[in-house]
Amino acid sequence: MRRRLAVALVAAAFAVPAVAQQQEPFEPEGYRADNYRAPVPETLAGARVLTTAEAEAIWRAGSGAFIDVLPRPPKPKNLPAGTVWRDAPRRNIPGSMWLPDTGYGSLPQAMDDYLQRGLARASGGDKAKLLVIYCLADCWMSWNAAKRALAYGYPNIAWYPDGTDGWERAKLPTEEAQPEPRPEQ
């Protein structure tokens, strides 16, 4: 009886890592189109994946442009007169360009154009410039946006998957951000 229990425990110990490996997120072929706040893959084909220390070094050296893609709901168009609307505050990595809502799995043409114009501004028109794309930890928005930037022909993309969550955990500075003006949809 003890021997069977020991064998069962050993077998279970070997099975747990195999199950954990199967549950690791993998890179989808296309863009992630749902459940955007979920564990992200450790890789993004064609992009450099940054740790917080690496992102900080790029930021301190000023050797890359930082792009925040955290979504932001727009002010509803049909609010009753006198209704007070307050956007949720966003603190991002200092000097970042905030291009909200550009990390969804499918973008309307106006938002796709908005992202392309934003990347062109952030890069100064130099597609070889290092662009660091981020959002929050476990946020597929940044993964999608970085993958899109690669598809647009930007070869020097760095994806910072820990985003402002990792940045703040490291007690690095943030600043209040305002998004780039969005197109009317």
Side-chain angles (χ1 to χ4, degrees):
M1 182 67 143
R2 282 189 178 170
R3 182 172 168 85
R4 280 190 202 157
L5 180 59
V7 169
L9 289 174
V10 169
F14 283 111
V16 169
V19 170
Q21 283 179 345
Q22 290 172 356
Q23 293 177 352
E24 288 293 318
F26 61 93
E27 284 192 45
E29 238 178 80
Y31 300 102
R32 175 77 174 242
D34 61 2
N35 196 18
Y36 295 106
R37 286 306 307 270
V40 294
E42 292 182 8
T43 59
L44 173 54
R48 190 170 140 203
V49 180
L50 301 177
T51 64
T52 298
E54 291 166 330
E56 178 186 9
I58 292 166
W59 177 75
R60 290 199 185 280
S63 58
F66 283 71
I67 300 167
D68 181 2
V69 297
L70 181 75
R72 181 181 204 180
K75 179 179 178 180
K77 292 179 182 178
N78 298 325
L79 283 178
T83 301
V84 176
W85 173 263
R86 290 195 178 98
D87 285 315
R90 171 69 172 151
R91 298 192 65 83
N92 66 18
I93 297 169
S96 295
M97 176 183 283
W98 185 12
L99 300 172
D101 302 322
T102 55
Y104 286 104
S106 176
L107 293 180
Q109 189 60 54
M111 289 306 290
D112 188 70
D113 293 344
Y114 170 72
L115 175 58
Q116 289 191 56
R117 285 191 308 274
L119 294 173
R121 274 194 314 277
S123 68
D126 177 7
K127 284 201 169 186
K129 181 176 176 104
L130 175 61
L131 300 178
V132 178
I133 300 177
Y134 71 94
C135 182
L136 302 171
D138 290 332
C139 179
W140 281 86
M141 293 284 179
S142 59
W143 190 92
N144 282 345
K147 183 176 179 86
R148 258 195 195 91
L150 290 165
Y152 297 153
Y154 289 87
N156 201 4
I157 297 299
W159 172 47
Y160 177 38
D162 288 338
T164 49
D165 292 333
W167 194 262
E168 289 174 343
R169 267 193 309 274
K171 301 194 183 329
L172 293 167
T174 60
E175 66 183 10
E176 190 159 329
Q178 291 301 316
E180 292 294 308
R182 292 164 25 147
E184 290 296 319
Q185 293 179 310

